[in-house]
Amino acid sequence: MIVYLNGEFLPQEEAKVSPTDRGFLFGDGIYEAIPYYKGKPFAFDGHWKRLQDGLGFLRIDFADHDEEKMKKVFDELLNRNNGLQQMTRAMIYLQITRGAPPTRSHVFPVSNGTVVKPTVFATCQEIAYPSPERWTAGFSAALVPDQRWGRVDIKTVNLLANVLAAQEAKDKGADEAIFVTEDDAHLITEGSKANVFGILKDDANGGSKIVTHPLSRQILPGITRNMVVQVARNAGLIVEERAMTRAELTEEAQEVFITSTTTEIKPIVKIDGKVVGDGKAGPMSTKLVALLRSQIEVETGV
Ligand code: PMP
């Protein structure tokens, strides 16, 4: 595996980061995961904008790594890693931390009068996707209290609560974790690594509607979430951006699915042991995957 670290391409085992790196000591950094289909990026602008928003929030100066330069880095990474350029789905992972100062101190580090340079790391991997049969059979989820900090809209490397939630779900035999607020409202925010959608009955027209948490500080503005909302609305489907209650998700939803760069749309057919809808991927999830795939095809040709 060849990775990119601070301007160099090198074998992963030779890529070394200082123990005083702010990412290691404080979780002081952000990351991005960008999908590539046969070497072509999908929704690159959205990923790049979210990255810039994160850098702005953290006040990390990344101005000498512009979009064109980083696109070349990503292309080269895919090229240097055994045919990932040809893979149907691959992911570029990019992480930027506030760098490695000589000593540990909470405030932004300055060394010899200049601001310490950020650490820039990028790697890539194939995205494994379930077979159509596995996808249709669906996946399970466990509900986990949302104990994350107040700015989860920023894609920081502080993923401790997400890690613990994913492990809690695994320990319970579930495939995914879905966060519920700890207050009395018991609202669904998102998954430990994905956004959450429910298909609910629409009393107004007797059909169904797609419901997902609105953009706010309580969820990551998922690029896939945004795409799904967009393709659904373009197809004339009803999308309601509001928080669902735990009861709506577990007792009323006809279908539930999660979205992310690595999973696209993943049907959830069991939550805390209770079957959702008829226990397999439903018609709306199937339709939305088709709509998302055609959008991917328009952009990447794949
Ligand atoms: N929420 C969380 C907490 C995530 O980690 C992810 C995956 N990065 C998402 C949502 C989905 O975001 P995206 O569609 O941009 O991958």
Side-chain angles (χ1 to χ4, degrees), residues 50 155 162 190-195 220 222-224 259-261:
R50 185 169 65 185
K155 204 166 166 62
N162 307 60
E190 61 178 335
S192 64
K193 46 192 155 72
N195 293 108
L220 185 81
I223 306 301
T224 322
T259 63
S260 80
T261 291

Side-chain angles (χ1 to χ4, degrees), residues 191-206:
S192 64
K193 46 192 155 72
N195 293 108
V196 175
F197 287 71
I199 309 302
L200 296 177
K201 208 156 99 208
D202 187 13
D203 293 328
N205 67 4

